Amino acid sequence: MPTLNRSIASLTLASVCSLATGQDAIVVTTLNDVTDFAGARQVADLPGADGLVSFREAVTAANNTAGPDTIHFAISQDQWWLVSTYALLRLEDGVFVLTDDETTIDFSTQTDFTGDTNPDGMEVGIYGLEANGWGTPAIIIQASNCVIRGMGPVHQRGASVSVWSGNNNRFVGNVTGSIQLNPYPGTTSGNIIGGIEPGEANDLNSVQILCGANDNTVIGNRVDTVSVTGSRYCAAGNEYPLRNRIGGSEPGDRNVINDFGNYGHEGFPQGQGVRVHYARETLIEGNYIGVTADGMSRHIQRGTAGIRVADAVDTTIRDNLIAGIRVVGVNHYAGQVFGQAIDITALDEDNSNIVIENNLIGTDATGMNPITTRAGIVIQPLIFSRTISDVRIGSPDGSAGNTIAFTELDGIRIASQGQSIEITGNDIHSNGGLGIDLLPISGGGGAPGGVTPNDAGDLDQGANSLQNFPTIDTATTDGLTASISGTLSSLPGRDYRIEFFASPEADPSGHGEGQRFLGSTDVITDATGDAGFDATLPADMIGDGWVATSTATDLAMAETSEFGPALGFAIQAGCPADLNADGLLDFFDLSMFLNAFTSGDPAGDFDGNGMHDFFDISGFLNAFTAGCP
């Protein structure tokens, strides 16, 4: 079998070259969409009468030849048209359909023939010249274990590649439009778009994961928008895409999702970075959404939501950076400002079982500096008859709390149909509206919001049943711990978790916010619905002017209140090393500390950080030598 000879100027090139592995590669040598080879139209029958191999011939030969195949490219630059930096294959005779398992189409091999002609990376794209071909894919895959590598732009078609059947296909190093998993009415699974190794990331306009596409992964890419979308009208049993993952727990899994959205009818902005609609068990983890690749500034986009979850069940949003979501309308919407970091809504189905944890919302990657964002988390059905329920924002122990900060409007806003929304262990601060805003039924989704006053008996209705907030009566700190006491008046005979927060200043409303989560205590209301609380919590570095705030969560319903009124901390000099509280610092205090430290007793955790370490010893000795006032 002849091998590729670059010195043959006429490009009467060999149709097949031998790879180091012994596997043969089919080499595409013409841009034209022709088929002129005969016989069984297998690899051995290439090339045809013209002495060249078209991409359609290469795909046909692979489909008709048993075993793995690889398609390479070596197209002379004197054939290139429309653009001078890369080759554009002509598509004139219908979609290219790949049905051969274990086929690799490596568009990047064109560089081996002509050199690196394009600083943007891609060397071969596709141009649709077929009449009425708009909206249809350029390449359809009906096979398993295939690889598409290095594909360039696709013009005048729909998706660049669409998987209609088969499993475990890979898409790496492509700089193109849309990669689509669309197996209607069947299924496809195990496909991976992107990767963590050098050269595996794709740069895409969109990823679409549709009905019947289950257990697929999107990692390590730069992409405008990712959509996981099912439909009640899909084949029975395949209505919902299942268990798809966008991102992952390792830094290399991160997708950078930006440049999404557009202006729609009459200038109304629309679009999301990640859209989950009518799907099940979707994981969105570790991504940068709405920001630059370094996570330090806003990236321009026109979309109204970083993540939108609608009509879905069992969605997890974890460890993402979501910021810069702010867009101003044009035309008839000129001057109106839109944007929500996370938008939870419902239209055709109730939306439930959502976990939102450990995200940075409204900040840069350090969590310390603002990136302009219109609103934080908005939970609001589009149809009044639909509900959103069983949502957890944060974690009770604070280990997976979100930072929600610097937004122009509310940190968290919940419409009246939002029920069983647990907001726990988060750091919420510096937002232009309330930290948590629960809307009453009368207000609906469009109410201006604001603090909802407590009511006697806690019988009013609205978001989270308008759970009453606690009232703090005293708040003191000695620099290491905080003592906070107060009352909650709510439903009788119920279990509640009271969470405590500290902030450098009170919200302008006088309620909240909660910049630092301090901890919590549980209470049970009496027959009249009242309960008192008195908690001592680790609270180092609380200074003059700081305030204490609190929330209440009905543990039976998992419904959290707005922030209660803020109260300034009273600073007490104290004598923290006086462990036996006798007013003296002596051998007995030292002995008590050493015994507690070596035994792991909580009293030995002097700085209250949950660990027994050098800092506890240093802190105790400093306090001991400083003496008592």
Side-chain angles (χ1 to χ4, degrees):
M1 183 176 296
T3 58
L4 178 63
N5 185 344
R6 296 188 190 182
S7 66
I8 303 176
S10 64
L11 283 180
T12 56
L13 298 172
S15 61
V16 179
C17 67
S18 179
L19 299 176
T21 61
Q23 175 188 336
D24 289 331
I26 308 166
V27 182
V28 176
T29 58
T30 180
L31 297 174
N32 294 323
D33 190 0
V34 297
T35 302
D36 68 350
F37 74 132
R41 298 207 296 183
Q42 296 179 341
V43 172
D45 299 309
L46 292 171
D50 63 1
L52 302 174
V53 177
S54 71
F55 183 55
R56 189 172 302 277
E57 287 176 322
V59 171
T60 300
N63 291 340
N64 293 333
T65 304
D69 289 293
T70 299
I71 298 175
H72 285 186
F73 295 80
I75 301 169
S76 171
Q77 284 181 275
D78 60 21
Q79 298 184 50
W80 293 10
W81 63 297
L82 287 184
V83 293
S84 61
T85 53
Y86 60 94
L88 272 175
L89 301 173
R90 299 173 184 268
L91 192 163
E92 301 179 84
D93 195 22
V95 179
F96 300 113
V97 181
L98 178 65
T99 60
D100 183 44
D101 292 345
E102 300 183 75
T103 294
T104 296
I105 302 176
D106 192 346
F107 293 91
S108 69
T109 53
Q110 175 67 32
T111 302
D112 297 334
F113 183 69
T114 52
D116 187 1
T117 62
N118 189 355
D120 294 328
M122 62 280 189
E123 302 294 339
V124 180
I126 298 175
Y127 198 98
L129 293 171
E130 180 188 18
N132 302 316
W134 285 55
T136 58
I139 299 174
I140 290 174
I141 295 178
Q142 294 178 296
S144 297
N145 301 304
C146 295
V147 178
I148 305 295
R149 181 187 301 275
M151 187 177 186
V154 171
H155 304 276
Q156 298 197 139
R157 300 296 288 193
S160 297
V161 185
S162 184
V163 177
W164 282 18
S165 63
N167 306 308
N168 305 316
N169 297 293
R170 291 289 311 273
F171 301 88
V172 294
N174 301 288
V175 182
T176 190
S178 172
I179 294 177
Q180 186 182 80
L181 307 180
N182 185 22
Y184 180 84
T187 63
T188 182
S189 65
N191 301 287
I192 301 175
I193 300 173
I196 62 174
E197 299 300 325
E200 291 187 339
N202 301 285
D203 192 329
L204 306 169
N205 295 132
S206 70
V207 172
Q208 299 171 14
I209 301 174
L210 305 174
C211 295
N214 308 324
D215 300 294
N216 303 289
T217 304
V218 182
I219 54 173
N221 305 286
R222 207 301 308 169
V223 59
D224 292 5
T225 185
V226 179
S227 178
V228 183
T229 305
S231 171
R232 63 173 65 184
Y233 302 108
C234 285
N238 290 339
E239 300 94 336
Y240 308 101
L242 303 174
R243 298 178 300 276
N244 293 288
R245 172 163 62 93
I246 315 302
S249 59
E250 299 298 325
D253 295 333
R254 176 187 304 141
N255 298 288
V256 177
I257 302 171
N258 54 33
D259 201 29
F260 50 86
N262 57 73
Y263 288 108
H265 184 64
E266 297 186 340
F268 187 86
Q270 57 191 13
Q272 303 86 37
V274 179
R275 181 174 187 259
V276 178
H277 182 207
Y278 219 80
R280 299 288 186 267
E281 299 179 63
T282 307
L283 173 61
I284 307 166
E285 182 175 32
N287 305 287
Y288 280 5
I289 302 174
V291 298
T292 52
D294 62 3
M296 298 305 291
S297 59
R298 178 181 186 270
H299 190 285
I300 295 174
Q301 62 264 327
R302 295 149 298 282
T304 58
I307 298 174
R308 188 178 200 226
V309 180
D311 303 348
V313 174
D314 297 330
T315 306
T316 299
I317 303 170
R318 175 192 302 147
D319 294 324
N320 303 282
L321 168 59
I322 313 164
I325 315 300
R326 184 185 191 275
V327 59
V328 181
V330 298
N331 197 1
H332 291 292
Y333 292 90
Q336 298 186 44
V337 184
F338 305 86
Q340 298 152 3
I342 299 177
D343 176 23
I344 310 296
T345 190
L347 178 61
D348 296 318
E349 299 283 336
D350 294 339
N351 201 341
S352 63
N353 296 327
I354 300 170
V355 174
I356 303 172
E357 60 183 17
N358 211 38
N359 301 283
L360 295 175
I361 296 174
T363 78
D364 64 10
T366 70
M368 304 296 292
N369 304 302
I371 296 179
T372 303
T373 303
R374 186 61 172 167
I377 301 172
V378 177
I379 299 176
Q380 178 175 303
L382 293 176
I383 301 296
F384 194 78
S385 61
R386 297 298 177 196
T387 62
I388 300 172
S389 61
D390 300 318
V391 179
R392 173 166 59 82
I393 303 173
S395 64
D397 63 358
S399 63
N402 303 279
T403 296
I404 307 170
F406 309 119
T407 65
E408 294 179 333
L409 300 178
D410 296 327
I412 300 173
R413 182 183 179 92
I414 306 174
S416 60
Q417 304 99 305
Q419 305 296 320
S420 297
I421 315 295
E422 183 180 15
I423 306 168
T424 176
N426 302 287
D427 295 339
I428 303 174
H429 67 93
S430 307
N431 297 291
L434 296 184
I436 302 171
D437 195 356
L438 306 181
L439 301 185
I441 287 179
S442 59
V451 175
T452 302
N454 284 345
D455 66 308
D458 207 355
L459 300 175
D460 52 354
Q461 294 297 309
N464 269 0
S465 304
L466 296 184
Q467 170 62 49
N468 280 355
F469 48 73
T471 300
I472 296 175
D473 297 325
T474 65
T476 61
T477 179
D478 60 10
L480 291 175
T481 61
S483 297
I484 303 174
S485 64
T487 58
L488 171 68
S489 179
S490 192
L491 298 174
R494 304 274 281 219
D495 293 327
Y496 293 90
R497 181 175 63 244
I498 312 298
E499 296 193 3
F500 304 99
F501 305 84
S503 298
E505 58 184 4
D507 184 79
S509 68
H511 286 238
E513 298 180 51
Q515 181 163 338
R516 288 180 54 199
F517 172 64
L518 300 179
S520 65
T521 190
D522 292 347
V523 299
I524 303 174
T525 53
D526 61 20
T528 65
D530 294 329
F533 54 84
D534 191 347
T536 300
L537 308 158
D540 59 320
M541 297 181 67
I542 293 177
D544 289 338
W546 281 59
V547 299
T549 56
S550 59
T551 61
T553 298
D554 182 334
L555 295 179
M557 297 299 295
E559 294 186 330
T560 302
S561 70
E562 297 179 346
F563 283 104
L567 181 68
F569 279 100
I571 307 298
Q572 293 182 335
C575 192
D578 182 15
L579 298 186
N580 61 5
D582 64 356
L584 301 173
L585 292 180
D586 52 24
F587 167 80
F588 298 104
D589 299 300
L590 180 60
S591 176
M592 287 182 65
F593 171 73
L594 292 176
N595 288 335
F597 184 85
T598 55
S599 66
D601 187 275
D605 179 19
F606 193 74
D607 61 3
N609 68 352
M611 298 183 291
H612 289 66
D613 53 25
F614 167 80
F615 298 103
D616 298 304
I617 297 173
S618 176
F620 176 81
L621 292 177
N622 287 338
F624 188 85
T625 56
C628 289

